[in-house]
Amino acid sequence: MSTKNPLVRLTELGQSPWYDFITRDLFTSGTLQHLIDAGELRGMTSNPTIFEKAVSKSDLYDEDIRRLSREGRTPAQIFEAIAVADVRSACDLFRPLYDKTNGGDGLVSIEVSPGVAFDTQASINEARRLWHEVDRPNAMVKIPGTEAGLEAIRQCLTEGININITLLFSVQRYDQVREAFLSALEARVAKGQPIDRLASVASFFVSRVDTKVDKILDKQGDPDKLRGTIAIANAAQAYAAFEATFDGARWAPLEAKGAQRQRPLWASTSTKDPKYPDIYYVEALIAPDTVDTIPPATLDAYRDHGDPKVRIREAMARAPEQLRQLARSGIDLAQVTAELEKEGVEKFAASYDELLAGIEHKAGELAAR
């Protein structure tokens, strides 16, 4: 039976809404528990940009910063302690949902530092450390899907660490990510290790593609009316690739052993261009066996005026011709997505650096009081 709440209806259609946000007062105020109880949220993600805003724009973490600074911790160590504590708290609140869904939902992500995005071994080491520090079965460690990240992803999954692969922009890179996931599961099976609770999602970024492509189309006058279509077309192609893999012969024996699909997670689904509706990307990418990680303003907007229907099939039908038109216009989508991957790491690195500088500044101010 359907429900009037659009966010709950997403779950009925097979898509899990996760919160693209974390801050300590979500736990202390009871807000997160309320959102979980209402069936509006089924998981949570965090990244350096989210934490940078949470730490710099509030006093929620001041006591921790003061205490940890007095203990001689560096800004990076202080941030990690704060992040681990918040992710643990979120994991504990989501744990009943995690148990109820046999590990399908109720997952909370913490990210390796952007500085290791192009260093395979450093990514592995940091993912292992964060996994053991958080020490919750429903935690996930985010590793960017860079070329260097692929082996780190495979190795960590093989070791039984839940991995959220982030900063995916191209279907070609997503192909490599699915291969890493499958080979990790197969390696565990070969060793007689369980695979039924190993969780992974592939975070495919959406709106940033349009932000970049639309600028080029605007300069061309957009003769084919492609503005605002390419991000959705790109994601639709990724979903087609997902279905081909997880309905395929290679997947069947893994599924028989209890393996869970590595769902596509739509990231960057808030609308950046005011010319588009505020829930433009959320509506377009409703699809079974997917996650949408939604920031607070977009979540509120969807609760207010979302119209949940599975629309991915229409997007998949339109995508091939839209992408052919894009190529005919002289825009190289592979180049665009490669630039976006590099820029994505750089943006998170900048937020991380700002975060550490902010912690250092706060620690100095608090010590002087």
Side-chain angles (χ1 to χ4, degrees), residues 15-316:
Q15 183 173 79
S16 295
W18 289 8
Y19 216 18
D20 193 25
F21 187 64
I22 192 167
T23 183
R24 187 157 297 172
D25 58 349
L26 278 175
F27 320 125
T28 57
S29 67
T31 300
L32 181 58
Q33 187 65 63
H34 170 74
L35 292 167
I36 295 169
D37 291 344
E40 295 185 355
L41 284 185
R42 300 179 68 81
M44 178 177 273
T45 56
S46 65
N47 62 48
T49 302
I50 290 170
F51 269 112
E52 190 273 326
K53 291 175 182 174
V55 172
S56 66
K57 292 180 169 54
S58 77
D59 58 3
L60 294 167
Y61 302 92
D62 286 6
E63 191 51 47
D64 282 349
I65 293 171
R66 180 188 287 111
R67 174 177 54 82
L68 293 165
S69 180
R70 283 175 180 165
E71 292 175 7
R73 307 274 192 105
T74 66
Q77 290 169 333
I78 292 172
F79 164 60
E80 186 170 305
I82 287 170
V84 165
D86 277 9
V87 170
R88 277 181 184 159
S89 295
C91 283
D92 291 344
L93 290 180
F94 276 108
R95 182 63 188 270
L97 179 61
Y98 173 79
D99 291 336
K100 182 180 177 181
T101 58
N102 295 313
D105 270 319
L107 295 146
V108 183
S109 298
I110 187 169
E111 186 151 1
V112 299
S113 63
V116 302
F118 302 110
D119 186 328
T120 301
Q121 191 58 50
S123 294
I124 293 170
N125 293 343
E126 190 155 328
R128 284 172 179 159
R129 191 183 73 252
L130 289 172
W131 174 249
H132 290 297
E133 282 291 316
V134 175
D135 193 26
R136 298 292 188 274
N138 56 326
M140 301 184 96
V141 180
K142 292 172 81 171
I143 298 177
T146 60
E147 188 171 353
L150 292 169
E151 177 55 25
I153 291 158
R154 190 198 64 77
Q155 179 61 37
C156 290
L157 286 167
T158 301
E159 293 177 15
I161 300 171
N162 297 333
I163 299 295
N164 175 341
I165 299 94
T166 188
L167 291 176
L168 296 176
F169 295 93
S170 76
V171 176
Q172 292 71 27
R173 181 72 84 215
Y174 176 47
D175 291 342
Q176 295 173 308
V177 163
R178 297 195 315 285
E179 173 59 36
F181 176 66
L182 292 173
S183 62
L185 290 178
E186 289 163 349
R188 287 184 64 80
V189 169
K191 296 175 186 174
Q193 295 171 330
I195 58 173
D196 58 315
R197 281 298 180 103
L198 185 62
S200 182
V201 291
S203 295
F204 203 87
F205 280 58
V206 184
S207 65
R208 293 188 195 181
V209 174
D210 275 345
T211 299
K212 201 168 188 69
V213 170
D214 284 357
K215 287 179 182 176
I216 306 171
L217 291 171
D218 288 345
K219 289 178 182 176
Q220 296 180 348
D222 190 16
D224 295 312
K225 306 300 181 198
L226 292 176
R227 198 179 200 284
T229 68
I230 299 305
I232 293 167
N234 193 41
Q237 295 281 81
Y239 188 75
F242 159 76
E243 287 195 318
T245 293
F246 291 99
D247 290 334
R250 186 177 174 188
W251 176 246
L254 295 169
E255 189 171 46
K257 292 184 179 296
Q260 300 191 42
R261 294 180 174 202
Q262 182 192 57
R263 290 178 292 173
L265 179 154
W266 308 130
S268 185
T269 56
S270 61
T271 303
K272 309 295 191 293
D273 190 330
K275 293 178 182 176
Y276 307 144
D278 54 0
I279 54 174
Y280 182 65
Y281 296 104
V282 180
E283 292 283 55
L285 295 175
I286 299 171
D289 286 320
T290 60
V291 175
D292 193 336
T293 181
I294 309 173
T298 308
L299 190 86
D300 292 343
Y302 203 80
R303 182 192 300 111
D304 179 69
H305 51 272
D307 180 24
K309 294 175 186 174
V310 173
R311 297 184 176 88
I312 196 70
R313 301 294 165 201
E314 293 93 320
M316 291 167 72

